[in-house]
Amino acid sequence: MTYSGRVTVGGPADVHELKDLMITKVAVGPMDNNAYLLRCRATDEQLLIDAANDAETLLGTIGDDGIASVVTTHRHGDHWQALTEVVAATGARTHAGREDAEGIPVPTDVPLDDGDVIRVGRVELTVRHLVGHTPGSVALVYDDPHGHPHVFTGDCLFPGGVGNTHKDPKAFASLIHDVETKIFDVLPDETWVYPGHGNDTTLGAERPHLPEWHARGW
């Protein structure tokens, strides 16, 4: 089956099979949040990005092998509703952006800063701190040595624009600056984007629209 990145709450997961990494995407909760389970194919170690909601579904997706880590992309409540249950069931270490950790009601074992590296088995993910949607939002970049990069953007980048900055011009200016300089300027058009809600996209599909995002201010 070809990976599409299109999932619905209550529907099946979609699996993106890379040479070194398997990425399982599932939609959960009333706000159609995406959660991503990453599995190193060499070691079978697993990492979850956003224990957003519906712990039963997430734990079923994780399976008996458990997870070593869970990363919360930012402090908004729809991204951590199942975090307590998932951590209790798996004993996973928790990661979140340093500036957002206080806003997450589960203690953060590993506060993240820009440029940090998170390992899942033999796979490395680079942290990009993107300020504007929240003070401590993080994206995770997997630079696949066998292909193009993959980036998990939380609520900072979607098909059609950057994340919600609540009509705050300073927050928008900060977010689009960080998204441009840390994502668009350093990653190729083929980069696959996995957002916190909705369908996936690529940087190439979004890059031509950057001027209009600037012009409209969101």
Side-chain angles (χ1 to χ4, degrees):
M1 294 290 289
T2 300
Y3 175 79
S4 70
R6 298 183 182 91
V7 292
T8 58
V9 175
D14 199 5
V15 181
H16 204 169
E17 296 193 29
L18 309 179
K19 186 170 183 179
D20 295 338
L21 185 68
M22 291 184 64
I23 302 167
T24 300
K25 178 180 182 178
V26 62
V28 292
M31 297 184 70
D32 292 346
N33 285 75
N34 296 325
Y36 299 95
L37 180 68
L38 279 53
R39 184 182 187 98
C40 171
R41 300 186 76 156
T43 67
D44 289 332
E45 184 172 300
Q46 297 191 121
L47 174 149
L48 181 68
I49 299 174
D50 282 345
N53 209 306
D54 191 355
E56 183 177 358
T57 292
L58 295 181
L59 291 170
T61 303
I62 290 166
D64 293 339
D65 289 340
I67 52 173
S69 307
V70 56
V71 178
T72 302
T73 57
H74 62 289
R75 67 187 185 190
H76 287 161
D78 57 308
H79 290 260
W80 47 253
Q81 291 297 310
L83 185 58
T84 297
E85 289 182 71
V86 167
V87 169
T90 63
R93 287 172 61 79
T94 56
H95 300 64
R98 185 177 301 276
E99 292 80 3
D100 272 12
E102 288 187 2
I104 300 169
V106 178
T108 296
D109 297 320
V110 183
L112 301 173
D113 298 305
D114 192 65
D116 285 352
V117 173
I118 301 173
R119 291 175 177 83
V120 50
R122 298 178 187 171
V123 169
E124 293 187 346
L125 308 168
T126 301
V127 175
R128 290 296 174 227
H129 180 204
L130 307 174
V131 182
H133 183 66
T134 67
S137 290
V138 293
L140 302 178
V141 178
Y142 170 51
D143 192 359
D144 186 354
H146 310 288
H148 55 75
H150 300 256
V151 56
F152 302 87
T153 56
D155 284 3
C156 288
L157 178 63
F158 296 97
V162 295
N164 191 350
T165 51
H166 307 285
K167 299 182 179 179
D168 180 339
K170 290 184 179 179
F172 171 75
S174 175
L175 182 56
I176 199 159
H177 172 270
D178 283 1
V179 167
E180 283 189 301
T181 59
K182 297 179 181 181
I183 304 295
F184 281 97
D185 288 355
V186 296
L187 297 174
D189 284 351
E190 296 78 14
T191 301
W192 197 278
V193 176
Y194 305 82
H197 304 263
N199 294 335
D200 299 354
T201 187
T202 64
L203 291 188
E206 306 305 321
R207 194 184 303 274
H209 303 288
L210 284 167
E212 72 182 74
W213 301 354
H214 275 280
R216 74 191 185 192
W218 56 273

